[in-house]
């Protein structure tokens, strides 16, 4: 087969910098805070918010430059995701889980697939790790898929969907174009993250060509022999471990939520008074000073761990394909667990119980963040993999028992 070539395209704003795109996210935080209730009612962020994200370049942060993206890298993407979650946890979750899988496509798939998938520049592709549905050959080297995949965060504005199906007893990763599936109206009844757009996706005879499939599970993709993306783009970040970067992305969103809780607590410190004499603002009270400082320290430590883990991920990519062993991938993934734990301890142990009952009424910012962070405990990555499986897998890899 003749190799596919693609003439490089310039991004919409060739001079845009990582710091500028992060600043755009920071400028949106106040509006996201104000629209949290609206986002929950709709079950996903508003169309005008989606349009603002597109204009800001958020959906092109990880898209390779040759396809009209900015190729700013994982660190910039994490900073934007964390910032958006600081304003609205549901919005941050939906954005991050819709845009993060750009990296997997740009890493694991060949030029033909990437040229097709990134044709429009903006790329929003929710993914699920649980295999579902069924697949049958279409007679042309591709597959016809039937089934329903749940928890597809980012589905409302998705251009594609990435999922898994079992074929002959083995997982097959696939990317389905938007015209091959439909979104179900089945999100919003959960405890938290009601506005995260985590609807189910259904396919009835959806066609996926063979070049948009891979015989692997996303979390188990091996990169030590090199990747199509590293060769195609000459960027080592398109050759990194997909497991660790996925889970670090989840932790970045959780950390952003906790930072939003600290923001809400600071507002209470400045505007509320103590209930026992001597009556002062909470900011002047030694106990509130302690609780605020305790939480702020935990979140500072979590952010430091997060930043360092992302830097380690990038350095490991740069060291060459052989450096990103499964042990390295899992070890970095476990950092995301500790980031999430510190973030939760800060909120659940310091901020939520001392904010006061009026601050945790239905619809209050602190109450919503607590619900949203509680819901993340049921996420498969944190609840199942990182809680136990990752420890055993790391140990087996370290002692050569795989």
């Amino acid at each position: 087969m003749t190799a596919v070539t693609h003439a490089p395209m310039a991004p919409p704003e060739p001079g845009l910098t990582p710091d500028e795109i992060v600043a755009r996210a920071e400028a949106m935080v106040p509006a996201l805070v104000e629209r949290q209730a609206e986002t929950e009612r709709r079950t996903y962020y508003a169309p005008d918010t989606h349009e603002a994200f597109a204009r800001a370049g958020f959906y092109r942060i990880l898209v390779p430059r040759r396809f009209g993206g900015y190729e700013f890298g994982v660190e910039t993407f994490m900073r934007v995701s964390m910032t958006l979650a600081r304003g609205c946890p549901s919005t941050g979750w939906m954005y991050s889980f819709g845009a993060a899988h750009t990296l997997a496509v740009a890493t694991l798939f060949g030029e033909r697939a990437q040229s097709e998938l990134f044709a429009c520049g903006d790329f929003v592709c929710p993914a699920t790790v649980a295999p579902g549905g069924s697949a049958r050959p279409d007679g042309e080297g591709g597959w016809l898929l039937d089934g329903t995949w749940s928890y597809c965060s980012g589905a409302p504005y998705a251009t594609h969907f990435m999922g898994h199906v079992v074929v002959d007893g083995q997982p097959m990763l696939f990317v389905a174009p938007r015209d091959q599936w439909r979104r179900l109206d089945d999100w919003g009844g959960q405890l938290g993250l009601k506005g995260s757009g985590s609807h189910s996706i259904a396919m009835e005879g959806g066609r996926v060509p063979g070049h948009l499939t891979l015989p692997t599970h996303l979390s188990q993709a091996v990169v030590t022999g090199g990747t199509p993306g590293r060769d195609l783009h000459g960027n080592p970040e398109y050759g990194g471990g997909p497991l660790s970067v996925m889970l670090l992305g989840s932790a970045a969103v959780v950390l952003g939520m906790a930072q939003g809780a600290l923001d809400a607590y600071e507002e209470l410190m400045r505007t509320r008074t103590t209930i026992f004499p001597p009556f002062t603002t909470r900011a002047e009270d030694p106990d509130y000073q302690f609780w605020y400082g305790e939480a702020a320290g935990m979140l500072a430590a979590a952010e430091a761990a997060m930043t360092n883990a992302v830097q380690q991920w990038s350095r490991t990519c740069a060291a060459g394909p052989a450096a990103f062993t499964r042990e390295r991938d899992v070890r970095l993934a476990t950092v995301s667990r500790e980031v999430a734990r510190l973030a939760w301890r800060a909120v659940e142990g310091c901020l939520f119980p001392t904010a006061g009952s009026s601050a945790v009424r239905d619809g209050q910012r602190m109450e919503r963040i607590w619900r949203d962070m509680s819901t993340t405990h049921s996420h498969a990555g944190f609840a199942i993999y990182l809680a136990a499986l990752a420890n055993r897998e790391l140990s087996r890899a370290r002692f050569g028992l795989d």
Side-chain angles (χ1 to χ4, degrees), residues 105-337:
V105 170
T107 298
L108 301 175
F109 286 85
E111 183 177 6
R112 180 186 178 189
Q114 292 194 37
S115 177
E116 184 177 314
L117 295 171
F118 295 140
C120 295
D122 285 359
F123 187 74
V124 182
C125 184
T128 59
V129 296
S134 60
R136 61 189 190 278
D138 67 357
E140 300 178 12
W143 301 88
L144 296 174
L145 275 61
D146 297 278
T148 300
W149 290 261
S150 302
Y151 304 106
C152 303
S153 303
Y157 303 120
T159 61
H160 298 80
F161 164 61
M162 178 184 290
H164 298 83
V165 62
V166 175
V167 177
D168 296 330
Q170 299 298 322
M172 180 179 77
L173 174 68
F174 65 86
V175 181
R178 181 64 185 85
D179 60 2
Q180 298 301 309
W181 51 267
R182 60 189 176 89
R183 175 176 66 88
L184 303 184
D185 186 17
D186 61 352
W187 189 252
Q190 293 70 22
L191 171 67
L193 294 174
K194 295 175 180 287
S196 64
S198 303
H199 305 75
S200 297
I201 281 175
M203 301 178 71
E204 296 94 15
R207 185 177 183 277
V208 178
H211 62 279
L212 298 185
T213 69
L214 292 171
T216 188
H217 190 281
L218 180 59
S219 68
Q220 297 174 334
V222 177
V223 298
T224 49
T227 65
R230 181 189 285 267
D231 294 337
L232 179 60
H233 305 297
N235 182 342
E237 287 205 355
Y238 294 131
L243 172 68
S244 53
V245 78
M246 283 192 298
L247 291 170
L248 285 168
S250 302
V253 175
V254 173
L255 177 55
M257 296 180 193
Q259 290 170 334
L262 189 67
D263 292 341
Y265 197 86
E266 180 173 343
E267 179 65 19
L268 296 173
M269 292 272 287
R270 296 180 184 279
T271 59
R272 300 285 179 90
T273 59
T274 57
I275 59 174
F276 299 111
F279 301 111
T280 65
T281 64
R282 292 184 180 183
E284 298 173 288
D285 180 77
D287 290 330
Y288 283 100
Q289 291 169 357
F290 174 84
W291 293 321
Y292 178 89
E294 185 83 349
M298 290 181 190
L299 296 184
E303 185 170 6
M306 182 80 212
T307 300
N308 182 263
V310 171
Q311 292 171 346
Q312 286 188 55
W313 187 90
S314 296
R315 287 198 301 268
T316 306
C317 291
F324 231 120
T325 62
R326 185 64 176 180
E327 178 188 351
R328 186 63 171 167
D329 204 13
V330 178
R331 188 181 295 276
L332 286 173
T334 61
V335 178
S336 67
R337 177 188 61 207

